[in-house]
Every structure is written in C-alpha cells, then in structure tokens.
Amino acid sequence: MNILEEILEKARRVAQEAEVFHLEQVDTPVRFEANQLTSIDTRELTGVALRIIKDGRVGFSATTDLSDLDALVQAAVETAPFGAEAQFQFPEVQSVPTVPVFDPAVGDLPLDRMVRIGQQTMDGIRAFSDEVLVSGSVSRSSQTVTLMNSRGGYVQYAKSGFGIGFEGSVVRGTDMLFVFDSLSGCRPIGDSSPVVASIIRQLEYAKHTATTETKSMPVLLMPTAVASVVLSPILVALNGKTVVQGTSPLADKLGQQVASPAFSVVNDPTLPFVPGSRPSDDEGVASKRVPLIDKGVVANFLYDLQTAGQANAESTGSGERGLSSLPSPASSVLVVSEGQSSFEQMLAEMGEGLVVERLLGAGQGNMLGGDFNANVLLGYKVEGGQIVGRVKDTMVHGNAYKALENLIAVGGQGRWVGGGLYTPSIVCADIAVATKA
Amino acid sequence: MSDTGLRERIQEALGSVSAEYIEVRVEESQGSHIRYRGKELEEIGRNSNLGGNVRALAGGGWGFACFNDISDLKSKVRMAVEQAKLVTTDRVELAPVDPVVRIVPPVLGKDPRTVPLSEKKDILDHYVETILSTPEVRSSTVQYGDGHRRIVFANSEGTYIEQERIDVTVRLAAMARNNGDVQQSSVSLGSLGDFGFVERLDDQAREVAQKSVALLNAPEVKGGPYTVILDPILAGVFIHEAFGHLSEADHVYNDPKMREIMVLGRRFGGEHLNVVDGASVPELRGSYQYDEEGVESHRTDLIREGVLVGRLHSRETAAKMGEAPTGNARAISYRFPPIVRMTNTFIEPGQSPVEDLFAGVKEGVYARNWYGGMTSMEMFTFSAGEAYMIRNGKVEELLRPVMLSGNLFTTMENLDAVANDLDMNQGGGCGKNGQSPLPVSNGSPHIRIQNCLVGGA
C-alpha cells in the first residue's frame, strides 16, 4: 500500500469522505547577481494535504513530515467540527484530457548549460550598455501531483518547468531605472534572446526623460500592466468566492456587457507545455477551456467544487491549492484575445498619451471595486504618435471596468507574461494621470 | 522532530565534507489557521512541517539545498557543496563572528497552542458578528493564524543554536456595498508569542465596519501634490518601504552606483529625523536573539539627526562593505536561504505635540492606517486605509482611500516634522525575493511631509 492509500484508509475510519493531495517537486534555480553567477540551489519539497468530510463538514490538515500519518489524520479530524459545510462530493474517477506538460529534456539539462544560458543573457544585455547591472535566474523544475479520494477519484501527472528571468538596473545619481523580462515554459528554453531584446527595448525607450501633465489621456498598457490594472481586479470579481459572497461587482452581471466588445478573455489550462496547464485541477476535476469575458459580456465565473456547490453551478476545473491550504478558485492560463493594431498604429492613434510598461502598487487599492491607483514604475510619454522618453513621479488612477468600456485599441500581437497569462497590449481612453512635474 | 541524536547527526554531516563554510538548519513547525468570508467559516486547518537546509561556500559562491527528508543530512551537505563548486566567481567572504552555543527559549505570553480551536473560533465568531451586524456592511473577512517554529542551526565554525518563536496574526476586514460601489476597510494585527491581544479586538472590529460604510459616501481626493500628515501606522509603513529597503545592504553592496548613493554620512533629512532598526528591541514581531546565520541581534541606527549612519547586514554583505554584521539575515522558513531583512523599524519620537503638525496646514491630506506598500528603491507607493482633507489646520471630510507615491530622496528631505507619539504596528508582513510574509514591526510618531504626490481622480 502506498502512503496515499494508507492515509486514505486511516481517514476513512474516522470520516465519511476523504481526499489526499500529494506533491513532490524539485526546483533548481541558478542565480545571478550584479553580472555574476552567485549561487546554485536545489529546493526539494514533498508533502501531503488531507481534506476530510466528517458529519457534513470539511476538515483540513497538511504536513511535510510523512513519519507521523496518525497525527495528520488527527489534525484534520480536530478541525472538522468547525469547518465549512461541504457543498460538494469528491469527484469519482473521470476521464481527463491529455495535456502535455512534461518534457524529460528539462531534467536532463546539465547545470553548466544553465549557467551558460544565464551568462549569454547577461552578456547580451551588457553588449547594449555596460552601464547596466544585471541580475536574474535560470531555473528548471519538476513536480508530480497525485490526488486520490474516497470515491475512487484518482489523478496523477508530472510537470516540468523551465524559466529565464532577468532584471537590468541603471543608476545615475539618485535616478534609477529597473527593466525586467522573463520567459517560461514546460520545455527547455535554449535561446534567451527574446528576454535580451525586450530588456534592450525598455532601456532604449527609457533613455531620455520626458514630462507629462496632470490630466486625463489615452494610456497604452503593455502586457504586464494589462495584468495588474485590468486582469487582477476582473479575476477577483470572477472568482466563485466573491460571487457567492455577493461582494463581486460582476455577481449579478452574467450575460451582461461590462466591457468593450473588443475585449475577450478565456481560461484555458489545456494548452500544451504552458506552465499553468494541467490535465485536471487540484481537486481532480478535468481541465477545460472556459470563456470568462466574451466580446465584453460576462460568460462564466471560476468555480472550484465548494463554491460551485454554493452557487448551484458546476466546477469549472479551477480548484487551485498549495500544500498548506484548501483549494480555492483561481485562473490557470488566461488568454486575452488579440486585436488588429500594431504597436506603431496604437501610438499613432493615441497622438499624445502614456505607455505604461510596469506599475508599482496597482493591487493596493480597492481592487474588489476595480479601482487602480498606482505609481508608474516604468512608463513612456507619447507625443505626436512617438515615444519621447521615460516619465517619472507619475501616477495613474482609474477603474478597470471603466477602462475596459473605454477600450480604443487592442494589439495584434500578444505575449506571455509569466506562465499563466497571454495578452496583447491595449489602449484605454481617458485615464487620469497625476504628476508632480 | 525527534531530537535523538539530531545534534550529533548535524555535527557529523558538517564534518563529512570539506568546504570553506557549511551551515545546516533543521526546522520543525506547527500552525493553525482560520478564515471567515462573511458569516461562513471558509477554512480551518492545521499544518505541520519538518524540513531542513544546507548552505555551503566552496571555492566561490553559494550552494544551497533544502529538503523534507532529514534522514540523510550528509548527502544534502554533499549536494550543496557540489553545487557551490560550480559557482566559480569572486570568492564570497563572511564577516567574522564568534561561535556561540545557545538554547534560546521562546518569548511567551498566552501560548496560542494552549487555546483550544473551539475557543479561538468563539472569539472570532464574535468579531464576524460585530462587523456583519453593522448596517450597510455587505460582507467581511476575518483571518487568524498562529505558527510555532523551532529551528536548530549549526555551522562549520562551531556555532550551535536552538531557537523557538511563536507568531500570531489577525486580520479583520469589512466590505460595504452600495449598488455597484464596493468599499472596504481592514486592520492587521500581530504579536510575538502572545494570543492575548486576539481576545481584545472589539473596538477594532466595530471600527473597520463603520469605516467601510463611511467610505461609500466619501469623495475622492483630487490628485496632485499636498502637504501630507501620516499617522504612526502609515508613517511606519513609509519608513519601512521607502527607506528601510534601501538600507538593506544586499541592495547596495555589489552595485558601485548604489554604494555612492548610500554612502555613510550622506544627509537624508533634517536634524529631527532619526531612524532605527533592531531585532534586539524586545517583544515585537521582528524581535529575536540570533538571526538565521547565528549572529546576535542588534539595534542599528540607520539615520541619526538626518544623516545616514548605518545599514542592515548579513555576514556576506558586511564583509564585502567592510562594516560590522548587524544580525539581519533572515529566512521565512527552511525553504529559503537567509537574506538581509528588516526587523523592527521605526522613526524615533521628536518633541512636538501632534497638534503642532496640523497647525498652519492650509490645505493638506491626513492619511491614516495601512493598506499596503511597495518600493522600487528610488520610488515607492504606499496606500492609506483612510484619509481626510486638512483645511486651515483642521481635519475635515473623509476621503476615499488614497495612494501616496514619491521619490525617496526628495520625500525624506520634505519630511519636515516629527511628533512625539511613537506607536508600533505589529500587523505587517514583509515580502522580498519570494519570501513573504516575514514577521516585522514598524512604527513612527505622526510625521508631516511637504509636497507629497497623492493619487486621485
């Protein structure tokens, strides 16, 4: 009997239903600081989480100490009398789609090869300017997820990961510039030139300093800014938890237009070799493609088993968890639909405006209501349809929903931001910009 | 963790491979957490962890390995040393510290482990009810967490330290909704080792509920530069975010330009400005006796009378900069190597009564309470939980939450008054390099900043 079966059997002696989630992973980051290799790490994690349903209530415990399984079961039993009422049953065995997310080539990649990839990335950036100090990492990972429940449900899959992420910093007096980019996937990435090119592009745009005024203007959000300004609040509002709770501003808007028809986003964890993909979610529910906002209309909310039960809906296969807590609804792989405009066209149509590469503190405001209010960490002034330089001491302020109603262009070419988002740039009209200058 | 022979096994592992420096940590932790969303107790759970790590220097830079299987420490030491040997760069030096052998007992008030789950739940139920019974409050989030960590640390220089710490946190949040408009107010609190404060949060629960409702009818501030007065909580976040991170030597030590900026003796502000960080300041959430490299905790003057006089170090950054270690190497768990972190960071009180700061402010913003904060060295943002207009020295109408943002250097120069009412905020959790939340505290008296950029419509 393996350890999962053993836990399940122990748990079933004291509870009606049980589920065991087992995670085993190894991450190996090769880290660079200030143009130098500084460390090589191996980070292993093995642990197990137990969820039980006892007298209709959910109990939970987790441990990385696999030597005392009785204590694990006992801890779950102890919490159950106070736990949430279970509004679901664990899924029985079901067919899950084939989603390739494992490539053995990742594990076979020697450490010195990873060191060389990092070195080449740093050299590439410093060839553009030796004023730049470069830090970052090249990392590989592998994990095996196993899930087993008392109704016969069973899922096991392996996932590999590879990532390259670098930051360049330029300091002149007390003027500081930080530029960043990364690439990730489930297969080895031998060529870091897209990261180098993106960092050089940011350095290029930021070479000159520009000023802006305090007023409303069109703002072009680059993919990273799309994530923080628009998608973060929308995801909170589409989350089954806030929907069930009634705090989501979209809770009663299913089927209604809340954004420009040019805006669509789906959650699709079935895309091959994307880090956020997987055959099933962390509760054993099969992965599927779920439209969230379709041509500006609210199409679906993201549910796990519990919130689906509360909402009288079906789980969308969106149960996400780490080792230490219960699953909760979350997106896995978001894909925002591309539009038609090239970057140059978008700048030309803006005439005068702001390009926002990255923000500082976008998630700190009233995100539930969609408000954003953030410092422009890296952004450029646009005049006469051209980028004229970097702005500083500047804040943008607005509301994600209003910004999406005022969407005036969607870029024709998207890109990945981390392992779970693909999006083009977008242009929103009338965003409030505040500055000291 | 069964202690039978653990110390011997660690010593044996340390001696099994030759390297310039090796350290081993074994950590055992237990915790419980409870989270309510609205009336519903959404999650309750218990966690335990057993794990360890090895960090080694062999030839150049670092090798690090963390793991859950502590049965074969020797193989983990070997792995870390092998990896370190691949890092053929400039040799890392460590500032010398005297080896120490100590077993440090935990700081303890009312031990949360002795409080039954049913009692914890009853207390929290009461706060949930207080918040939800406030008219117009649509929902709430109440979160509780406690954690006990026991860490055994030993290095190849002869240091052996056992330390325990208990951390308790509570967050109360209320959400009010009126048509599509959602407003929220929250408070985060914490303690090193004492469950007692959890029992005394009635006022806070009532306040967050009332504030969330009041915000529904509050106007937005018009964006632009203002004279801003910060309450002790928000000023504490400001000094942590805006200045504190820059005083962490790992942001500075290998960057010649940053070293120029952060040169000791540089004037940062007026003579009324004194800033301190120290884990040896007792019984706060950032307090401890030894850091994660076995260095005894300090109280470090960062700014004295407006002038930069110190910074926070690990052994590595101290050696590189030729300064003394300050005991600021911390890690959130065995899953991470220690890095330079703040502990308890605060602006020391001045002479002025609080009223004096408001007197003569023609139009300004009084920003209170904490919502969040981030920094990118030169630039920072920090958001207030609530804000009020100041007109002609008087605090007037409530505003929607505001975001304050600026350049560290000019903002420190523009910090023109420090009151005498120091208060420490224990609810903070700091994030850096993927390690979050690290227990810290920060604090300040009321402070005044001229010409501070406030984000608004």
Side-chain angles (χ1 to χ4, degrees):
Chain A
M1 186 162 36
N2 72 26
I3 195 164
L4 275 78
E5 289 168 323
E6 199 180 331
I7 296 167
L8 213 49
E9 192 178 292
K10 283 176 191 289
R12 290 199 65 179
R13 278 186 227 137
V14 290
Q16 288 79 29
E17 301 284 351
E19 172 206 61
V20 188
F21 174 79
H22 184 267
L23 181 67
E24 196 169 352
Q25 68 180 43
V26 185
D27 299 324
T28 310
V30 173
R31 297 186 289 138
F32 303 83
E33 252 176 58
N35 309 332
Q36 271 208 344
L37 171 65
T38 51
S39 99
I40 299 177
D41 300 2
T42 299
R43 302 186 182 190
E44 300 171 352
L45 176 65
T46 305
V48 63
L50 171 65
R51 177 162 59 153
I52 60 170
I53 303 177
K54 184 173 164 64
D55 305 325
R57 291 184 178 274
V58 178
F60 179 81
S61 62
T63 189
T64 58
D65 180 1
L66 300 178
S67 67
D68 192 353
L69 301 182
D70 288 323
L72 175 73
V73 173
Q74 185 49 43
V77 168
E78 205 183 304
T79 62
F82 315 109
E85 273 180 48
Q87 305 284 342
F88 63 93
Q89 288 187 321
F90 293 120
E92 291 169 19
V93 69
Q94 54 176 291
S95 68
V96 298
T98 304
V99 181
V101 285
F102 182 75
D103 182 349
V106 168
D108 296 340
L109 206 71
L111 287 171
D112 59 358
R113 173 86 182 100
M114 292 167 65
V115 171
R116 275 206 306 282
I117 292 170
Q119 213 73 56
Q120 282 161 6
T121 312
M122 295 193 299
D123 292 347
I125 296 165
R126 286 177 55 76
F128 173 77
S129 160
D130 58 8
E131 205 185 358
V132 190
L133 213 54
V134 187
S135 300
S137 69
V138 176
S139 57
R140 65 170 195 225
S141 66
S142 67
Q143 62 168 214
T144 303
V145 175
T146 313
L147 190 72
M148 194 184 271
N149 69 46
S150 54
R151 296 173 61 83
Y154 176 82
V155 176
Q156 181 173 58
Y157 66 91
K159 190 192 276 194
S160 53
F162 194 84
I164 301 174
F166 280 85
E167 181 187 74
S169 68
V170 180
V171 178
R172 291 178 193 143
T174 63
D175 176 46
M176 301 180 199
L177 168 66
F178 300 94
V179 294
F180 174 82
D181 206 7
S182 68
L183 270 179
S184 62
C186 296
R187 316 179 96 165
I189 301 166
D191 176 15
S192 65
S193 60
V195 172
V196 174
S198 165
I199 286 179
I200 289 176
R201 174 186 59 74
Q202 295 172 52
L203 291 169
E204 191 78 64
Y205 288 158
K207 209 147 74 183
H208 302 287
T209 304
T211 55
T212 183
E213 293 165 59
T214 296
K215 64 175 188 186
S216 287
M217 60 181 80
V219 170
L220 187 156
L221 301 171
M222 298 292 273
T224 307
V226 173
S228 57
V229 169
V230 177
L231 293 171
S232 299
I234 286 183
L235 283 173
V236 173
L238 292 171
N239 191 306
K241 280 200 171 169
T242 60
V243 171
V244 167
Q245 193 189 15
T247 51
S248 165
L250 299 182
D252 47 7
K253 299 253 163 70
L254 208 57
Q256 290 182 36
Q257 193 87 32
V258 297
S260 151
F263 184 76
S264 296
V265 57
V266 301
N267 185 47
D268 189 358
T270 67
L271 293 174
F273 296 112
V274 175
S277 289
R278 56 197 183 183
S280 90
D281 74 356
D282 294 337
E283 301 183 290
V285 177
S287 288
K288 61 176 179 181
R289 184 179 186 276
V290 179
L292 298 175
I293 307 277
D294 189 21
K295 299 192 173 68
V297 174
V298 181
N300 283 288
F301 301 125
L302 290 171
Y303 290 116
D304 61 358
L305 289 170
Q306 174 76 355
T307 53
Q310 290 166 324
N312 262 324
E314 294 275 309
S315 165
T316 48
S318 307
E320 283 257 340
R321 70 191 335 180
L323 258 187
S324 58
S325 63
L326 284 172
S328 64
S331 69
S332 325
V333 179
L334 291 175
V335 179
V336 177
S337 298
E338 289 162 341
Q340 305 290 334
S341 312
S342 72
F343 187 62
E344 291 71 23
Q345 281 167 341
M346 291 192 283
L347 294 183
E349 276 163 36
M350 284 166 75
E352 187 195 355
L354 196 66
V355 173
V356 174
E357 190 92 55
R358 259 196 328 282
L359 293 168
L360 187 67
Q364 284 169 207
N366 175 20
M367 199 197 276
L368 200 48
D371 295 344
F372 62 87
N373 197 346
N375 187 300
V376 179
L377 189 55
L378 182 55
Y380 324 109
K381 182 71 195 305
V382 177
E383 280 167 20
Q386 303 277 335
I387 287 177
V388 293
R390 179 188 184 198
V391 296
K392 295 183 70 174
D393 291 316
T394 301
M395 294 183 81
V396 289
H397 169 89
N399 181 281
Y401 299 103
K402 282 180 198 149
L404 282 180
E405 279 172 25
N406 295 337
L407 191 63
I408 50 176
V410 178
Q413 180 65 56
R415 59 154 297 173
W416 287 98
V417 179
L421 169 65
Y422 183 87
T423 182
S425 303
I426 62 174
V427 183
C428 304
D430 283 333
I431 304 266
V433 175
T435 182
K436 251 181 175 173
Chain B
M1 123 180 85
S2 109
D3 269 1
T4 344
L6 179 63
R7 185 168 174 179
E8 287 70 24
R9 287 199 290 127
I10 292 175
Q11 304 293 7
E12 230 174 82
L14 282 171
S16 66
V17 185
S18 136
E20 290 158 45
Y21 175 82
I22 307 173
E23 64 189 26
V24 175
R25 269 175 217 86
V26 174
E27 176 180 330
E28 176 195 42
S29 65
Q30 292 90 29
S32 67
H33 61 276
I34 304 174
R35 188 178 66 237
Y36 291 76
R37 205 176 268 259
K39 246 192 218 13
E40 184 201 356
L41 194 158
E42 183 177 67
E43 173 155 355
I44 179 165
R46 282 188 41 188
N47 295 288
S48 63
N49 278 290
L50 176 61
N53 68 48
V54 177
R55 199 166 64 134
L57 280 178
W62 292 103
F64 175 81
C66 68
F67 42 85
N68 297 109
D69 181 359
I70 62 163
S71 64
D72 187 3
L73 293 174
K74 278 187 199 170
S75 76
K76 307 299 183 191
V77 168
R78 258 198 316 275
M79 187 197 294
V81 171
E82 299 281 297
Q83 289 173 178
K85 283 181 179 162
L86 292 172
V87 185
T88 51
T89 46
D90 293 355
R91 186 172 291 258
V92 169
E93 306 280 345
L94 298 179
V97 291
D98 291 332
V100 49
V101 176
R102 278 289 301 279
I103 293 174
V104 183
V107 173
L108 258 190
K110 182 169 183 176
D111 187 340
R113 292 171 299 174
T114 65
V115 182
L117 272 180
S118 60
E119 195 179 319
K120 290 173 183 166
K121 181 181 173 288
D122 285 347
I123 295 170
L124 298 173
D125 273 344
H126 178 61
Y127 300 142
V128 172
E129 208 181 292
T130 304
I131 296 173
L132 289 177
S133 64
T134 307
E136 286 189 88
V137 169
R138 179 68 171 260
S139 190
S140 60
T141 315
V142 170
Q143 280 170 281
Y144 166 86
D146 61 47
H148 170 259
R149 284 176 80 195
R150 177 162 170 260
I151 303 152
V152 177
F153 170 87
N155 68 23
S156 53
E157 298 169 345
T159 289
Y160 178 89
I161 299 170
E162 292 179 19
Q163 286 190 101
E164 281 181 72
R165 63 175 293 140
I166 290 171
D167 194 51
V168 189
T169 55
V170 174
R171 181 168 179 271
L172 306 173
M175 275 147 270
R177 185 172 166 191
N178 185 358
N179 297 321
D181 190 13
V182 179
Q183 289 296 320
Q184 48 192 326
S185 176
S186 67
V187 59
S188 297
L189 304 127
S191 162
L192 175 68
D194 185 19
F195 181 81
F197 83 96
V198 182
E199 298 164 338
R200 301 183 295 267
L201 301 177
D202 279 301
D203 291 347
Q204 282 90 340
R206 236 185 332 270
E207 265 173 43
V208 293
Q210 287 161 359
K211 279 176 191 165
S212 69
V213 173
L215 286 172
L216 286 173
N217 296 315
E220 286 186 1
V221 71
K222 188 177 171 334
Y226 286 91
T227 299
V228 174
I229 294 176
L230 309 184
D231 79 334
I233 292 178
L234 193 54
V237 174
F238 164 71
I239 205 63
H240 172 104
E241 290 300 334
F243 174 75
H245 282 291
L246 208 53
S247 73
E248 294 166 340
D250 57 342
H251 288 304
V252 177
Y253 77 119
N254 56 16
D255 184 339
K257 300 269 183 58
M258 291 292 279
R259 286 176 78 143
E260 273 171 37
I261 291 174
M262 293 302 285
V263 67
L264 298 185
R266 179 195 180 106
R267 178 159 288 281
F268 262 85
E271 289 186 354
H272 49 276
L273 185 62
N274 295 290
V275 182
V276 173
D277 177 278
S280 69
V281 179
E283 296 187 15
L284 293 168
R285 275 185 75 222
S287 309
Y288 49 79
Q289 187 139 12
Y290 294 94
D291 77 358
E292 301 256 3
E293 295 184 317
V295 178
E296 186 150 31
S297 60
H298 282 54
R299 176 192 160 105
T300 308
D301 281 339
L302 302 176
I303 292 180
R304 187 60 36 205
E305 295 181 352
V307 174
L308 187 70
V309 294
R311 69 181 106 248
L312 308 177
H313 280 299
S314 63
R315 290 183 64 185
E316 179 182 357
T317 62
K320 184 90 180 247
M321 299 190 75
E323 294 169 6
T326 58
N328 284 80
R330 305 181 69 190
I332 56 163
S333 78
Y334 67 93
R335 303 259 312 134
F336 298 91
I339 53 175
V340 181
R341 302 299 292 260
M342 282 174 265
T343 60
N344 308 302
T345 314
F346 56 97
I347 298 176
E348 286 189 338
Q351 307 294 326
S352 316
V354 181
E355 308 79 69
D356 290 9
L357 270 56
F358 288 87
V361 177
K362 217 169 151 214
E363 188 186 56
V365 172
Y366 178 34
R368 292 178 54 92
N369 213 341
W370 171 88
Y371 205 91
M374 281 177 89
T375 178
S376 170
M377 302 295 116
E378 178 194 11
M379 281 190 271
F380 64 85
T381 71
F382 50 114
S383 46
E386 54 186 291
Y388 303 84
M389 280 308 293
I390 307 170
R391 283 193 199 84
N392 300 318
K394 288 211 174 63
V395 177
E396 299 202 332
E397 76 272 17
L398 177 71
L399 300 167
R400 285 287 168 97
V402 297
M403 169 86 74
L404 309 175
S405 180
N407 172 295
L408 166 69
F409 304 97
T410 48
T411 306
M412 296 285 277
E413 282 164 22
N414 292 344
L415 197 169
D416 73 339
V418 177
N420 59 6
D421 57 340
L422 171 66
D423 195 12
M424 297 299 291
N425 167 21
Q426 299 253 60
C430 175
K432 179 177 171 185
N433 297 4
Q435 297 197 48
S436 176
L438 184 79
V440 294
S441 75
N442 44 58
S444 173
H446 275 83
I447 59 171
R448 187 173 64 204
I449 299 170
Q450 299 293 343
N451 197 28
C452 179
L453 187 58
V454 177

